[in-house]
Amino acid sequence: MSDLSVKVQPTMSSLEIAELVEARHDSVKRAIERLANRAVITLPPMVEKPTAGRPVSAYLFSGDQGKRDSTIVVAQLSPEFTARLVDRWQELEALNSAASLPDFSNPVAAARAWADAREAEQKALEAAEAARPAVEFVDQYVAADSGSKGFRQVAKLLNANERDFRDFLRDHHVMYRLGGEWMPYQNHIDAGRFVVKTGVANEHAYNAAKFTAKGVNWIAGLWAQRNMQGAA
């Protein structure tokens, strides 16, 4: 028998997340926006949610992307509630699967659906774990220090292998080698992510490039995204 049902992706709003993690909704929204600005997650669409008073604007996570991103938000905001969020996504997916699978009574289909759900859960948790060091670093760094940092300082703060970090900067057209020095591309200087100082030492001219606080924030987000892709 053909399956004529329409599969609707499960969704979860930032309001629901706030209730699950027992946090203020505005705090959850700020965490979402902060992670999206760092390119760690994709900013979800905004919707109006009815409440006892006036409607409230909330972010709406949906599908696999929403599950991944919301897990990262909770892992950064309230790590102890990550399992609670994953359980809620499983409930939503179970409700959706019950309405859309052509023959869920088939034990093979049921086993496959269960395995897919467990695999998706594991990937989301691995992505959150991969992102957490860089996200936590940014929060601590921005709060404590607004000065510029050299390449080795940033690599150490991100707990990154220097060679891997250098290759990452080169492959993503962030920095390039010039006369024995690593220099940022001009568009990143213009964006305020680097400062370049020139001078003369021992009768030799030199260029020294450093990440600004804005640049550290930005590159930490890209590095976290790279780690999450490796974990996926």
Side-chain angles (χ1 to χ4, degrees), residues 52-75:
R54 292 188 303 174
V56 174
S57 295
Y59 288 110
L60 188 67
F61 294 94
S62 63
D64 291 340
Q65 182 72 39
K67 182 176 181 179
R68 167 197 175 277
D69 289 350
S70 62
T71 304
I72 292 170
V73 171
V74 173

Side-chain angles (χ1 to χ4, degrees), residues 163-177 182-183 185 188 218-219 222-223 226:
R163 177 176 293 181
D164 290 345
F165 191 45
R166 187 86 72 188
D167 290 344
F168 173 79
L169 296 175
R170 181 197 62 212
D171 295 345
H172 285 74
H173 303 288
V174 177
M175 302 186 79
Y176 64 99
R177 195 170 184 84
W182 283 88
M183 299 297 294
Y185 284 92
H188 297 302
W218 172 75
I219 201 64
L222 289 184
W223 186 251
R226 173 256 194 193

Side-chain angles (χ1 to χ4, degrees), residues 23 37 69 198:
N37 287 337
D69 289 350
T198 60

Side-chain angles (χ1 to χ4, degrees), residues 2 13 106 115 121 141:
S2 62
S13 72
N106 184 324
E121 174 189 346
Y141 169 74

Side-chain angles (χ1 to χ4, degrees), residues 206-219:
Y206 70 88
N207 294 312
K210 290 192 174 184
F211 289 86
T212 63
K214 179 180 180 180
V216 172
N217 193 333
W218 172 75
I219 201 64

